[in-house]
Amino acid sequence: MPINLSQNSQNTSLEDILFKQGLINSDQLSAIKLESINSGQTVEKILTAHNLVPLDKITQSKAQLLNIPYIKLTDRAIAGDILNLIPEPAAKRYMIIPFDKKGEELWVAMVDPLDIQIIQFIEKRAGLRVKPYLAQEEDILKAIADQYSQNLTSEVTSALKEVEAIKPLEKTQAGPEILREAPVSNIVDQLLEYAIKSRASDIHIEPQEDRTRVRYRIDGVLQEKILLPKGVHDALISRIKILSVLKIDEKRLPQDGRFTFAYGQNVIDLRISTVPTVFGEKVVMRLLPKSTAAPSLLELGLRGSALKALEVQLLRPHGIILICGPTGSGKTTTLYSVLSKISSTRVNVVTIEDPVEYQIPGVNQVQVNPQVGLTFASALRSFLRQDPNIIMVGEIRDTETADLAIQASLTGHQVFSTLHTNSSAGAPPRLLDMGVEPFLLASALNAAMAQRVVRKICPHCRVEFSAPPEVIENIKSVLGKLLPVSRGEPVSASGGFKLFKGKGCSFCANTGYLGRIGIFEVLTISEQVTKLILEHASSGSIEETAIAQGMVTMKQDGYLKVLEGVTTMEEILRVAQD
């Protein structure tokens, strides 16, 4: 039954609402009404054909006209027990999807919320009273594809029936076996398989008051994907603990473990961390693909003067090179890329890491173990008796580690490490604050490189658009002399230049982004910078000197990648804005 949107009881029409909201002007209003009368077409078809108003605004106005709530389903997780109330074939056929339940009321997104027959069918099928919501057709179709494709509904339903029979705390030999055979293990498999398919780096399983929320970190951004019934939470956590060889009866203290999961050709190492929260134990699983080789420096996004400066420093036989940035900025991946580049049969490479994330052929990798006294500092002391050429320290966390790393670099070793600073110029002051002597630091430090990771525009749905004047001015002011030129003219000489964005498609889960790339700045320690270090100068002074000597900042590197169509302004400002 199609929705009649010509007028409601107050004689207000769809086009009148759009006009009142300022989405069309008076001339367009008159033209739409005239065309509707002459052609017999609906106002909605005319608006869509002429692309006068965005589809979501039209749908919101329709909802207002019908006095029915509007719902946007993008990035909304739907619980498996709710999805299970309406089978997928029926959802596709009638263009509906249930998304929430309050008491005896089922909230359903519909393309036609006035279709009484469909509402009666849902109420009979679910045994609940329906509250209809209006949603865009493509929004509903995408939600059906995303939510039902996860195939968790049947596992959750069967797990709920059997979860009471599972007694993970029962001290019997059969306990773990019961869990292995239970439907809960299927849920864990489904969660991990979905993570691998969607290129997720982390899975967060978070207990809430009435649900268990599952979120995936995809391309560095957390996305809520699945809601599970609260009743399955304890069994789910126990299953993960058994796989990770953790104590299933210890719920008061944080625990760490790991296990391996195979899916098709993919073999994944998982690092597991549990912490007690108000509503139960939260689990975070970090996915580390075993088969993934470290990317090359070019693949990371290093190029131009930054790549050349780093490669020159890598040729030096001794000294320390620091990779700087906050947690999650890709520092460890860059270190692995550097080690893969310089490792050979002629050099002895040793690393101390917390934890070892990837195995590098030919490299001696050690994992810290504070419980037995194996720390960054104690391992570094031992390394010096192992005849090393190259030493990699996972992170400089304290004064002792910093001093030892500096001493190792001054005694003829090449040392690589990471430091938590926001910029490359912030590295020397941070080490000086730790108590490192200025004259030792000035002699030992070869380079400091800062980085961030940004999402790349999806190549399958990339579209071009004209940059607004204020964005053009911002790019010109940040890049200055670095602004690319074309045929002897600045790229903005034509009155503006084109930028790119992702429209959203099935390849990128409608986000517009697919994959990630780094933005970098490389600070080499010149004579002027050495002098500033000896004077305990601020990071601002060091950065000014480095820029005057030709250093390209992270923000500038990011803007250059924006002009090339690799990423967007929003991404650069999200990670590199001061």
Side-chain angles (χ1 to χ4, degrees):
M1 185 176 81
I3 302 175
N4 182 6
L5 288 170
S6 56
Q7 288 184 328
N8 65 5
S9 55
Q10 282 78 37
N11 292 322
T12 304
S13 62
L14 176 62
E15 60 269 31
D16 290 333
I17 290 175
L18 293 169
F19 174 68
K20 286 176 185 175
Q21 291 176 345
L23 294 168
I24 56 174
N25 57 38
S26 56
D27 292 339
Q28 289 171 327
L29 176 65
S30 304
I32 290 165
K33 287 186 174 181
L34 184 62
E35 187 174 339
S36 181
I37 293 166
N38 291 336
S39 66
Q41 287 186 316
T42 63
V43 168
E44 187 179 351
K45 279 189 177 179
I46 294 166
L47 289 165
T48 307
H50 294 295
N51 201 23
L52 291 172
V53 182
L55 274 173
D56 59 332
K57 297 295 182 185
I58 295 174
T59 311
Q60 286 178 46
S61 300
K62 280 162 62 177
Q64 186 180 332
L65 183 68
L66 297 167
N67 198 26
I68 286 173
Y70 167 79
I71 182 70
K72 190 166 180 64
L73 298 166
T74 309
D75 295 330
R76 187 185 183 104
I78 302 174
D81 55 339
I82 291 173
L83 278 176
N84 209 42
L85 293 170
I86 298 176
E88 186 178 0
K92 284 181 177 176
R93 182 179 175 186
Y94 299 119
M95 221 72 81
I96 56 175
I97 187 166
F99 63 90
D100 209 346
K101 187 175 77 169
K102 300 291 180 187
E104 294 300 309
E105 198 171 68
L106 182 65
W107 294 3
V108 183
M110 307 175 68
V111 169
D112 186 356
L114 299 183
D115 194 322
I116 303 300
Q117 288 183 328
I118 294 177
I119 291 173
Q120 287 174 345
F121 160 76
I122 300 168
E123 289 181 338
K124 188 176 179 181
R125 179 79 174 72
L128 297 166
R129 190 172 67 255
V130 167
K131 181 178 181 180
Y133 280 71
L134 183 63
Q136 280 178 248
E137 182 176 327
E138 62 180 48
D139 205 8
I140 290 176
L141 287 172
K142 185 182 180 304
I144 290 170
D146 287 349
Q147 301 292 338
Y148 284 101
S149 68
Q150 290 162 12
N151 292 324
L152 285 168
T153 52
S154 59
E155 282 82 358
V156 170
T157 306
S158 56
L160 279 171
K161 291 176 184 175
E162 298 185 33
V163 75
E164 292 301 319
I166 300 169
K167 304 293 182 185
L169 303 185
E170 211 170 69
K171 294 184 180 178
T172 66
Q173 292 296 319
E177 295 302 322
I178 292 171
L179 268 175
R180 283 193 191 95
E181 295 167 7
V184 175
S185 65
N186 292 334
I187 298 175
V188 174
D189 289 347
Q190 292 289 336
L191 293 176
L192 293 173
E193 286 174 18
Y194 185 81
I196 293 167
K197 289 174 187 173
S198 59
R199 301 171 295 101
S201 61
D202 302 84
I203 308 172
H204 293 238
I205 301 174
E206 302 166 312
Q208 297 180 316
E209 192 170 5
D210 56 348
R211 298 271 182 207
T212 290
R213 178 172 69 171
V214 181
R215 293 191 292 172
Y216 292 85
R217 189 175 295 280
I218 301 170
D219 288 336
V221 178
L222 274 174
Q223 298 177 21
E224 186 179 283
K225 290 290 182 183
I226 307 161
L227 291 172
L228 299 174
K230 184 72 171 178
V232 82
H233 181 78
D234 287 344
L236 189 65
I237 300 303
S238 294
R239 170 64 179 160
I240 293 167
K241 282 184 169 182
I242 284 169
L243 290 169
S244 315
V245 198
L246 300 177
K247 296 177 182 176
I248 59 174
D249 57 343
E250 179 55 82
K251 299 186 178 184
R252 300 163 302 169
L253 295 172
Q255 296 186 70
D256 295 311
R258 62 193 309 159
F259 68 93
T260 301
F261 179 76
Y263 174 66
Q265 300 297 315
N266 301 287
V267 180
I268 307 293
D269 268 337
L270 290 114
R271 273 179 23 220
I272 311 301
S273 171
T274 72
V275 293
T277 70
V278 174
F279 298 117
E281 284 185 284
K282 174 183 173 177
V283 168
V284 174
M285 298 191 276
R286 166 67 59 88
L287 282 77
L288 303 166
K290 271 190 171 182
S291 57
T292 304
S296 68
L297 296 175
L298 275 172
E299 288 169 340
L300 287 177
L302 262 168
R303 77 275 171 84
S305 59
L307 178 60
K308 187 177 179 181
L310 181 62
E311 286 181 332
V312 167
Q313 297 304 320
L314 293 179
L315 294 173
R316 299 180 68 174
H318 54 80
I320 186 166
I321 295 177
L322 296 172
I323 314 291
C324 309
T327 302
S329 60
K331 300 187 297 294
T332 306
T333 302
T334 301
L335 276 181
Y336 281 130
S337 298
V338 168
L339 289 182
S340 298
K341 180 180 175 66
I342 62 178
S343 176
S344 72
T345 55
R346 297 189 302 276
V347 292
N348 177 23
V349 184
V350 288
T351 76
I352 175 69
E353 305 169 56
D354 182 20
V356 173
E357 294 191 8
Y358 301 102
Q359 277 83 40
I360 308 172
V363 174
N364 305 288
Q365 296 173 269
V366 178
Q367 183 162 313
V368 298
N369 188 351
Q371 292 176 343
V372 296
L374 181 58
T375 62
F376 282 118
S378 64
L380 254 175
R381 283 197 194 88
S382 302
F383 283 176
L384 295 175
R385 296 189 289 274
Q386 287 279 316
D387 184 32
N389 299 100
I390 298 163
I391 300 171
M392 191 268 265
V393 183
E395 185 185 338
I396 293 178
R397 294 177 178 172
D398 51 49
T399 304
E400 188 180 11
T401 309
D403 282 335
L404 284 166
I406 296 290
Q407 291 296 338
S409 67
L410 288 171
T411 52
H413 304 94
Q414 205 172 17
V415 179
F416 297 92
S417 190
T418 68
L419 199 63
H420 284 283
T421 61
N422 289 329
S423 65
S424 56
R430 175 64 57 85
L431 289 170
L432 292 174
D433 288 342
M434 284 184 178
V436 175
E437 292 291 346
F439 65 92
L440 292 177
L441 178 60
S443 303
L445 188 60
N446 288 345
M449 182 171 81
Q451 66 177 77
R452 302 286 190 278
V453 283
V454 294
R455 292 181 292 173
K456 293 195 292 185
I457 298 170
C458 174
H460 304 284
C461 61
R462 192 176 80 153
V463 292
E464 198 178 76
F465 69 98
S466 296
E470 60 272 18
V471 172
I472 294 172
E473 287 306 312
N474 180 244
I475 291 173
K476 287 164 74 175
S477 66
V478 169
L479 288 180
K481 293 177 182 178
L482 293 173
L483 193 69
V485 294
S486 177
R487 296 174 189 161
E489 294 287 337
V491 289
S492 57
S494 59
F497 39 74
K498 300 291 184 183
L499 299 184
F500 299 87
K501 63 181 178 181
K503 196 168 57 175
C505 64
S506 57
F507 289 96
C508 60
N510 219 38
T511 60
Y513 297 99
L514 189 65
R516 291 192 287 174
I517 195 168
I519 56 173
F520 302 88
E521 64 182 29
V522 178
L523 168 70
T524 52
I525 309 303
S526 62
E527 286 184 21
Q528 292 90 331
V529 175
T530 299
K531 188 179 177 185
L532 290 172
I533 292 171
L534 292 171
E535 294 171 353
H536 281 262
S538 67
S539 59
S541 301
I542 294 172
E543 185 169 359
E544 281 177 22
T545 303
I547 291 171
Q549 292 175 349
M551 183 181 82
V552 177
T553 66
M554 269 188 300
K555 196 170 183 180
Q556 288 174 330
D557 186 36
Y559 276 29
L560 289 170
K561 288 182 168 79
V562 168
L563 292 181
E564 291 169 12
V566 174
T567 187
T568 62
M569 288 282 290
E570 290 80 7
E571 275 297 288
I572 303 303
L573 296 175
R574 179 175 70 86
V575 302
Q577 182 68 17
D578 295 331

